[in-house]
Every structure is written in C-alpha cells, then in structure tokens.
Amino acid sequence: MKKTTILDIARELDISFSTVSRALNDHKAISEPTKKAVKEMAERMGYQPNKIASSLRSGKSKTIGVLVPRLDVTFFSSVVHGIEAVMNENGYSILLYQSQEHFDREKKGIETFLNSQVEGIIASISLETDKSDAFAAVIKRNMPLAFFDRILPDLEVPSVTIDDYRGGFIATEHLIKKGRKKIVHINQYRNVNIFNERLRGYLDALKHYGLPIDEDLIIKGDFSLDFGRQCICDLVSKKIDFDAVFTLEDFTAMGVVQQLKEYSIKIPDDVSVVGFANEDFTSLVTPSISTVDQNSMGMGREVAHLFLKLLKKGDYYKHTPEKFVFEPTLLVRESSI
Amino acid sequence: MKKTTILDIARELDISFSTVSRALNDHKAISEPTKKAVKEMAERMGYQPNKIASSLRSGKSKTIGVLVPRLDVTFFSSVVHGIEAVMNENGYSILLYQSQEHFDREKKGIETFLNSQVEGIIASISLETDKSDAFAAVIKRNMPLAFFDRILPDLEVPSVTIDDYRGGFIATEHLIKKGRKKIVHINQYRNVNIFNERLRGYLDALKHYGLPIDEDLIIKGDFSLDFGRQCICDLVSKKIDFDAVFTLEDFTAMGVVQQLKEYSIKIPDDVSVVGFANEDFTSLVTPSISTVDQNSMGMGREVAHLFLKLLKKGDYYKHTPEKFVFEPTLLVRESSI
C-alpha cells in the first residue's frame, strides 16, 4: 500500500519537508496562505498523519480488543453490546475477534490484537482453552486484561462472572417445587468450569430436597440443538422414565422441546423443560422456554467499568484484581409453568 | 504501557544493544551460549519484537477489518462466518467492528481500522449512511475495500449483493399463487436501496399477475418485532381486509405472527406470512415462518474471494471492480404453506 507522505506533499508544492510538517502542525512561523495551501494539498492527496507511529510512542490508541468465543449467540453479542456502550461513552472503540471456540484461533486473536495496537484486552475463553500461556503473555507485556463469564482462574486479573452454581440450583429447585421427581440434566463432556458449576448446582438441589441422584438421568455430550433431540430419542428408546429436563444451555433445550413435540409428549404437563442463557429465541418459540438469565448486558457494562478502572490505575498487576459475581435470575415460561 | 525493549535485555545481561539484536536475529557472529542467554532473558522479560513497526514498513499485517451494522442478527453473523472461513484458510485474521446502524460509529470504525494497521476493509453500510466520504478516504489511501449486501453504488469497488428485487418478487408471487389477493407489504421509511428493491419486486409481482396496487396495504415504518405487531393492530382497528403479509425482514414477520395469534387469526388459513433473511428463529417458532434466504455464508465466502483477488492485483483502483449478485431462494414453511 503506497501512502501519501509529507515528502509527497512537499514535492508537489515544491516547498521544504519541514515547511509542510510545520504547516500541518499549525506552527506560528508558517504564513496562513502556506498553511492553507499545504492543508488543501494534504486533503487532495489523501494524506493521513501516521497515527500508528504516534500511538506507538504514546501507547494510547483508544481502542480495546474484545476476544469472544462467538458472536452468533445472544449471550455473547449482548455482553459485547454492554461493553461497547460503556467504552463508547468513555471515548474508546472496540475491535472484536471470534475464537470460534478453538484454542489456536484464540492464540491467533491475542497475537492479532497485540499487533493491532489495542490498549488492552477483554476476553472470554474458548471451550478448548485449558492453558493460560497465551493470556499470560498479555500480562507479561504489562497490557491490561479482564475476563468475563469464562475465565482462567489461575490468572490474577479482574473478572465478571455469574454464579453458575446458583443458576443450576435455582433451575432444579424450581422443577422440584413444581412436583418433578425425575429430572434429567444434560451437560457436556469437557472440563469447563461454568458448566461443571451448573451440574454441581443441579446435584446440590436434588440433595437439598432429598431426591435421589440417578446417573441414568445425567447425560454428557456436546451441546447443540441436535444433541438435545438425540438425548430425548435415547431416553425414550431406553425406556427411562423422566418428568423434566434441565439443560446446560438453550439450544440444547430447543432440541429437547422439538423432539418431545415430535413424540407428542406434552410440555409442561408430561415433561417440563428449563434451559440456560436466555437466548432470544427462547421467548419466541411455542411453548416459550423457561431459562436462566445471566444479565448479559449488565455483565458487559460491569466488565467494561472494571477495565476502565484498571486503565486508570496504571500499574495493572500490582493490585488485587476486582472480581464481580452476578446473581442469575430464573425466567419461568410456558415450558415449565 | 511499558514494554520490554532490546535495551532492557542488554542492560539486564550487561552486554551491548547490538549483541542482543543480533542474537535475537540468529546472527552467525554471535555464539550459541550468548544466543541462548539472550533468548531466555527475552522470554523471561516478556519481550515481543515490534511487529507493528515492521508491518508499518512492509504494509503486511495479514489482518483484514470487517465493518458491519450489527452482529446480533443471523444474517450478518453468518456472512462474517463465511468471510472468516475463507480468510483463515488464506492466512488472514479478521477484526470486527459494529456500526450499530449509525453513520458516526461507522466513520469511527473506519478510522479505528486505519489506525489498527489492517491491510484492507470489507464492509456493509449502516442504515443511516447516505454519503460516501468516509469510505472514499479508504480509497484515497489506496487501501483495498469491498462491500457486501448494503453498498454505496457511487464507489467503484468490488461487491457481493443479492438480487433484492427478485427476492421481493418471488415472495409476492408465491403468495399470489397460493390464491392471496390482498397482500400487505411492510417496508421502512428510510431511502435504503436493498429495501426499496424488495418493495419494487412486490409491486412488479402484483402488476405481473394483474392484481391492483392498494396504498392501504403498503406500510412504512422502522422495522422491528414491535412494529410488526403494531401494523397488525392498526390494520385490524382500521378494518382493512387482508389475507397475506410480506415483510421486509424476519423480526417484523415475527411480530406479525405473534399479533395474528393473539387475535386468533389463523396462520396460514386466514393470513399467510412471509419474511426476509432466514434468521435462525424463523425455523424454530410455531408456525415456522416462510422467508427469503440470502445465502449469507456464500455471500461471505464470495466477498472474501473477491477481496483476496483484489489484494493480489495490487493496483486496487485501476481495474473495473468485480460485482457479484446472488439469486435469493424462497423457503416455504408453515406460515404460508
């Protein structure tokens, strides 16, 4: 890419480099007509002052990198919305990068941000991430870093999460209070903290209300609409008795609902369903799906505030990082009323 | 942000700046033990070679900026998915910026990209954008630019769009062939080319099949689920007779469906509904909503390919730009079967 330089402008106007430079910086030694001529030529030739070079010197690009697993789910796009709102109010721009749930892409994203002159990174880790090296490199460079939702607990950085244990507990408690006794829980096979916590909440709610834990009712797989459908097919073909399903997230719950409908199993009369995350579609479908809301906009706003505080402090890694934990809210809809 | 420099490493090891520099570049004049010591210290101190400075020199950051109105709708997140897939296959990373449909934010996004050392920009313009200055500045800097879906027709850059006129035509034609005679069309009030074309397709289909154009049945507003609901309320309260609704996009169609259900108007028996864009939820809701698919993944892959071709050519603005137009596909579902 050939960019217009001060030298090009100087050549075009047949004046010196330093005259152009001083004219562009409104130096008092330069006459108004010369300033005008230089600025017009700069405009005409598409000259842009080299802000990267100057941000290299000052370290202030007023841009923050946000690294997320994916943006095609309501939860993440909504957290990003919250982050953007606060950051824009404070004069910062946001650049986004999707890891698509892959560890390698996440590393690439961090590298891309480091090379793009962002002032710091706000991130939620991919499902594959179980090592902290890539993010540790950010800290090593003394660049501010904050996590939301999915964090690396061994890194001492600010974070905003929700109480996933509590989410699993209240979803299960709600089903128990509706008289359900054989509650299926669909979770996943990876060792991901937020999902483990939802499972722990489910188990503790059963214990708390004196219900037995039945291994047949705890299913682990990869979460998706299709996996939700598959789980119901398997339960039915294995003739396992159940009267409710609590899924780790909403797409799986949607699959559960679709398959139950195909089997003409009545929702919620025969089987109640509760999902997790309050994806947009859960309120649109019939029956509408009960779910656990994570206050995603609030989470975005909060992590942005923590991050701005961090930026102001300057010595990013000399303080005990602030950790904020949101309380989840159960939204009861037609699928479990 | 204080970064580790070569000088810091030199000071720490008490050797010269040039020895450190040459050791890091594997210069043959430097002994293996020294190289090892320098590299270990560089690693320990979090030293990162200044890739921005080197990309400033070469102009090759291997990063492309993608500027989109918003990522919380299936259409845009899915186009971005297509762009990412092709770009990653070709060794490029993608940074994303959301204009949130605002002209000012879009300008800010372009500026942020220009300052972030991307090699080029792929964009879809905001609803507010009716001037091309901000994007013209990208061209002036001789930086590659391509558009998808929503374009600025006066800028001579490659683009990938769909035939929106054809989309409006086939949606309306389908309703006519189902025997519908009083087809409402909900569009919007701004002068946005893609939406104007959908309206033109609707009008031409009516003409083609000899149906009258009834101004009472053409509604313009701001599109949203709530606006769709409002339109049905208004039609009913004004006692305007209608037997089908074709909306400019799917969220509006969702609102139409919800309000028709609330009035116990049967879908599709009393009123058929067709949306536009194939948003994820349209296949999940009951009744599922007929819609016009825009091959969003394909659009993303195609614009990425055009862009890569442009990058290879080098002289970005000396050729007639390639323009690719996709054919839309009608997906007939329960709402208009």
Side-chain angles (χ1 to χ4, degrees):
Chain A
M1 179 194 355
K2 177 75 181 75
K3 289 202 304 187
T4 301
T5 65
I6 291 183
L7 213 56
D8 298 326
I9 302 169
R11 206 176 289 127
E12 198 66 25
L13 291 170
D14 200 16
I15 56 177
S16 78
F17 175 90
S18 72
T19 304
V20 174
S21 172
R22 288 187 296 173
L24 289 171
N25 287 307
D26 272 325
H27 195 286
K28 61 180 189 303
I30 308 296
S31 73
E32 281 309 316
T34 305
K35 279 183 193 169
K36 195 162 170 279
V38 167
K39 285 175 185 174
E40 277 175 11
M41 183 57 74
E43 168 70 20
R44 193 142 64 81
M45 296 175 75
Y47 171 74
Q48 285 246 357
N50 195 332
K51 288 193 186 164
I52 305 162
S54 80
S55 76
L56 265 177
R57 285 190 294 272
S58 72
K60 302 283 180 216
S61 64
K62 282 282 182 185
T63 305
I64 306 295
V66 177
L67 179 59
V68 287
R70 48 197 292 191
L71 288 157
D72 60 351
V73 294
T74 309
F75 174 70
F76 287 114
S77 71
S78 171
V79 174
V80 165
H81 208 278
I83 295 174
E84 277 192 339
V86 171
M87 285 303 184
N88 291 338
E89 285 160 20
N90 287 277
Y92 284 87
S93 288
I94 293 296
L95 286 175
L96 299 166
Y97 192 98
Q98 303 186 78
S99 70
Q100 301 288 7
E101 303 288 13
H102 295 305
F103 180 62
D104 284 347
R105 296 281 305 276
E106 186 171 272
K107 273 174 70 174
K108 186 81 193 159
I110 293 169
E111 203 182 292
T112 304
F113 279 142
L114 293 179
N115 295 338
S116 300
Q117 199 63 2
V118 297
E119 282 190 50
I121 297 175
I122 299 177
S124 194
I125 65 169
S126 88
L127 286 177
E128 285 181 3
T129 306
D130 52 7
K131 289 193 294 280
S132 53
D133 335 7
F135 285 106
V138 178
I139 299 175
K140 235 179 186 175
R141 283 184 66 173
N142 197 32
M143 180 184 270
L145 173 66
F147 285 121
F148 69 89
D149 195 46
R150 302 193 204 150
I151 69 169
L152 283 163
D154 51 329
L155 294 184
E156 280 296 306
V157 300
S159 65
V160 180
T161 53
I162 69 148
D163 187 341
D164 286 284
Y165 167 81
R166 180 89 194 131
F169 191 96
I170 59 176
T172 311
E173 180 180 52
H174 157 68
L175 291 166
I176 295 168
K177 287 189 170 170
K178 287 280 169 187
R180 305 295 152 154
K181 292 190 159 46
K182 293 176 172 175
I183 303 167
V184 171
H185 178 48
I186 305 179
N187 208 294
Q188 51 88 63
Y189 60 84
R190 284 197 188 87
N191 187 28
V192 177
N193 190 53
I194 59 169
F195 299 133
N196 294 347
E197 285 294 290
R198 293 173 199 181
L199 170 61
R200 204 166 64 82
Y202 160 83
L203 294 171
D204 270 13
L206 294 182
K207 272 184 239 164
H208 184 82
Y209 288 95
L211 287 179
I213 286 159
D214 180 347
E215 288 298 332
D216 278 349
L217 300 183
I218 301 170
I219 309 175
K220 292 191 179 184
D222 212 349
F223 54 85
S224 67
L225 190 144
D226 287 338
F227 185 66
R229 294 187 80 120
Q230 189 55 48
C231 288
I232 299 304
C233 292
D234 290 351
L235 287 164
V236 168
S237 76
K238 287 183 193 158
K239 299 191 196 314
I240 294 171
D241 201 24
F242 65 102
D243 55 16
V245 183
F246 164 48
T247 64
L248 79 164
E249 58 82 50
D250 287 330
F251 287 88
T252 309
M254 185 73 234
V256 165
V257 164
Q258 286 186 344
Q259 194 59 49
L260 289 172
K261 283 169 87 170
E262 256 184 56
Y263 284 147
S264 301
I265 297 172
K266 281 192 201 113
I267 308 167
D269 296 353
D270 301 334
V271 174
S272 295
V273 181
V274 178
F276 207 110
N278 196 16
E279 287 294 312
D280 277 346
F281 65 81
T282 55
S283 66
L284 300 175
V285 295
T286 312
S288 56
I289 301 176
S290 301
T291 188
V292 178
D293 183 71
Q294 304 178 87
N295 192 356
S296 44
M297 272 285 277
M299 191 182 276
R301 297 189 67 92
E302 191 58 40
V303 74
H305 283 304
L306 286 192
F307 194 83
L308 287 170
K309 269 206 245 175
L310 191 68
L311 271 179
K312 265 190 202 146
K313 274 186 194 160
D315 279 334
Y316 312 128
Y317 298 105
K318 289 192 176 155
H319 314 267
T320 307
E322 288 191 69
K323 312 222 168 193
F324 196 95
V325 181
F326 274 98
E327 278 293 292
T329 319
L330 181 69
L331 301 177
V332 178
R333 301 205 181 105
E334 292 163 359
S335 69
S336 73
I337 207 145
Chain B
M1 180 194 350
K2 178 76 181 76
K3 289 202 307 189
T4 301
T5 65
I6 290 182
L7 213 59
D8 297 328
I9 302 169
R11 206 176 290 127
E12 197 65 28
L13 290 170
D14 199 16
I15 56 177
S16 77
F17 175 89
S18 72
T19 303
V20 173
S21 172
R22 288 187 296 173
L24 289 172
N25 288 305
D26 271 325
H27 195 285
K28 61 182 191 298
I30 308 297
S31 74
E32 282 308 316
T34 304
K35 281 181 191 169
K36 194 162 171 281
V38 167
K39 286 175 186 175
E40 277 175 11
M41 183 56 74
E43 168 70 20
R44 194 141 65 80
M45 296 175 75
Y47 171 73
Q48 284 244 359
N50 196 330
K51 289 192 187 167
I52 305 163
S54 80
S55 76
L56 263 178
R57 284 189 294 272
S58 71
K60 304 282 181 216
S61 64
K62 283 284 182 184
T63 304
I64 306 295
V66 177
L67 179 59
V68 288
R70 47 197 291 191
L71 288 157
D72 60 350
V73 293
T74 308
F75 174 70
F76 287 115
S77 71
S78 171
V79 174
V80 165
H81 208 276
I83 295 173
E84 277 192 339
V86 171
M87 286 303 185
N88 292 339
E89 285 159 21
N90 286 276
Y92 285 87
S93 288
I94 294 296
L95 287 174
L96 300 165
Y97 192 98
Q98 303 187 81
S99 70
Q100 301 288 5
E101 303 287 12
H102 295 306
F103 180 63
D104 284 348
R105 296 281 305 276
E106 187 171 270
K107 273 174 70 175
K108 187 81 192 155
I110 293 169
E111 202 183 292
T112 304
F113 279 142
L114 293 179
N115 296 338
S116 299
Q117 199 61 3
V118 297
E119 282 189 50
I121 297 176
I122 298 176
S124 195
I125 65 168
S126 88
L127 287 177
E128 286 181 0
T129 306
D130 52 7
K131 289 194 295 281
S132 53
D133 336 6
F135 285 107
V138 177
I139 298 176
K140 235 178 185 175
R141 284 184 66 173
N142 197 30
M143 180 184 270
L145 173 67
F147 284 121
F148 69 89
D149 195 46
R150 302 194 204 151
I151 68 170
L152 284 164
D154 51 327
L155 293 184
E156 280 296 305
V157 300
S159 65
V160 180
T161 53
I162 69 148
D163 187 342
D164 286 283
Y165 167 80
R166 179 89 195 130
F169 192 95
I170 59 176
T172 311
E173 180 180 51
H174 157 70
L175 291 166
I176 295 169
K177 288 190 169 170
K178 287 280 169 189
R180 305 295 151 157
K181 292 190 162 42
K182 293 177 171 175
I183 304 167
V184 171
H185 178 48
I186 306 180
N187 208 294
Q188 51 88 60
Y189 61 84
R190 284 197 189 88
N191 188 27
V192 178
N193 190 53
I194 60 169
F195 299 133
N196 294 346
E197 286 294 289
R198 293 174 198 179
L199 170 61
R200 204 165 65 80
Y202 159 84
L203 294 171
D204 270 13
L206 294 183
K207 272 184 238 165
H208 184 82
Y209 288 94
L211 288 179
I213 286 161
D214 181 346
E215 288 298 332
D216 278 350
L217 301 183
I218 301 170
I219 309 174
K220 292 191 179 184
D222 214 349
F223 54 86
S224 67
L225 190 144
D226 287 339
F227 184 66
R229 294 188 79 121
Q230 189 55 47
C231 288
I232 298 304
C233 292
D234 290 351
L235 287 163
V236 167
S237 76
K238 288 182 193 160
K239 298 193 198 313
I240 294 171
D241 201 23
F242 64 102
D243 55 15
V245 183
F246 164 48
T247 64
L248 79 166
E249 59 82 51
D250 287 331
F251 288 88
T252 309
M254 185 73 234
V256 165
V257 164
Q258 287 185 344
Q259 194 58 47
L260 289 171
K261 284 169 85 170
E262 255 184 56
Y263 284 148
S264 301
I265 297 172
K266 281 192 201 111
I267 309 168
D269 296 353
D270 300 334
V271 173
S272 297
V273 181
V274 178
F276 207 110
N278 196 18
E279 287 294 311
D280 278 346
F281 65 82
T282 55
S283 66
L284 300 175
V285 295
T286 310
S288 55
I289 300 176
S290 301
T291 189
V292 178
D293 183 70
Q294 304 179 88
N295 192 357
S296 44
M297 271 285 277
M299 190 182 276
R301 297 189 68 92
E302 191 59 39
V303 74
H305 283 304
L306 286 192
F307 195 84
L308 288 170
K309 269 205 245 176
L310 192 69
L311 271 180
K312 266 190 200 147
K313 275 185 193 155
D315 279 334
Y316 311 128
Y317 298 105
K318 289 191 177 155
H319 315 267
T320 307
E322 288 190 70
K323 312 221 167 192
F324 196 95
V325 182
F326 274 99
E327 278 293 292
T329 318
L330 180 70
L331 301 176
V332 177
R333 300 205 182 104
E334 292 164 359
S335 70
S336 74
I337 205 145

